[in-house]
Amino acid sequence: MTALSRRIEFWVVVTVAFGYFIAGSVWAAWFAHPSDDLAFSDASMIGLILTELVLFSLLAPLLWWRGWRPEALGLGFTWRDVGVGCALFLACIIAASLLMTGLALMADGMGPLWTRMEGAPLSVAAIVAVSIVNPIFEEVFVCGYVIRALERTRSIAFPVNASVAIRVSYHLYQGAIGALGVAVVGLILGWWFARKGRLWPVIIAHGLMDLVALLGFGIG
């Protein structure tokens, strides 16, 4: 494993972690009508959780063998991370909401630029599970790994922008406005992590955003 080049390692990790989600997102963005609703259910949430757990179980040994330890990915935890995560959550919500509202007003009359996400009320178990598993999976790889791996040979802007590009690519199903909102969130979380090197506040902020979004479907 140690003979594997860093470049190959990077592409293997990114492809395994996000290839399936990127392909599905591009497919939905390309073939689905922008006004089509995306249905969410307990079954789809369970499927997401299981998929991410399987992918994580495949990649964790690889990263360990390659010398990646939790500390290298910014996973050291302190209770201060909770407060910082809440502050990041508020910053992301405010920034993304302002951008998306402004773009929606500017696009008035131009047709739908985002995909509506609908679904039946979700169970508490599904909401909590997704709000824990999904942020950990995504941020460990799209933020922690991507930025740390690329910053070894690049200036800080390149790793952050690469992280944002990957993040947006698997959220294209949300439509143009939704994807731009994701880009804003990615920039805030990516730049903060690149500067501070602590991943738990990023995970907590992401988890809170997932929790709020899923609660919007109601509790069944």
Side-chain angles (χ1 to χ4, degrees):
M1 284 291 181
T2 55
L4 197 67
S5 72
R6 288 180 176 177
R7 178 174 295 182
I8 294 176
E9 173 202 286
F10 178 84
W11 285 111
V12 167
V13 172
V14 171
T15 300
V16 173
F18 301 111
Y20 171 78
F21 299 110
I22 292 173
S25 182
V26 171
W27 178 274
W30 187 263
F31 292 103
H33 189 275
S35 62
D36 288 347
D37 292 341
L38 288 178
F40 286 81
S41 64
D42 271 13
S44 66
M45 296 295 98
I46 292 172
L48 173 64
I49 292 169
L50 291 177
T51 300
E52 291 181 339
L53 289 176
V54 169
L55 295 177
F56 194 93
S57 69
L58 292 174
L59 290 171
L62 171 64
L63 292 181
W64 186 270
W65 292 330
R66 292 286 294 172
W68 289 94
R69 299 295 183 264
E71 295 76 16
L73 296 171
L75 286 169
F77 178 79
T78 67
W79 286 108
R80 183 175 180 272
D81 292 336
V82 176
V84 177
C86 291
L88 283 174
F89 161 71
L90 292 175
C92 289
I93 290 295
I94 292 171
S97 297
L98 289 174
L99 174 68
M100 293 169 70
T101 300
L103 290 174
L105 292 174
M106 292 171 58
D108 186 35
M110 295 175 59
L113 293 180
W114 58 354
T115 301
R116 294 173 305 192
M117 292 177 285
E118 302 290 345
L122 302 173
S123 68
V124 173
I127 292 174
V128 172
V130 171
S131 299
I132 294 173
V133 175
N134 184 63
I136 293 175
F137 175 82
E138 283 195 33
E139 300 307 337
V140 163
F141 295 111
V142 80
C143 195
Y145 175 77
V146 168
I147 292 176
R148 282 289 176 257
L150 292 179
E151 70 180 7
R152 292 170 169 174
T153 57
R154 304 278 188 167
S155 64
I156 190 172
F158 183 86
V160 172
N161 290 333
S163 173
V164 172
I166 295 170
R167 189 187 297 268
V168 169
S169 69
Y170 58 83
H171 284 97
L172 292 174
Y173 66 87
Q174 294 185 9
I177 293 178
L180 285 171
V182 170
V184 170
V185 169
L187 282 170
I188 293 172
L189 298 182
W191 276 105
W192 189 90
F193 174 76
R195 294 292 185 183
K196 302 298 184 179
R198 302 195 61 81
L199 195 60
W200 277 112
V202 173
I203 292 171
I204 291 168
H206 187 156
L208 291 172
M209 284 184 279
D210 281 355
L211 181 64
V212 169
L214 293 175
L215 284 173
F217 295 120
I219 298 176

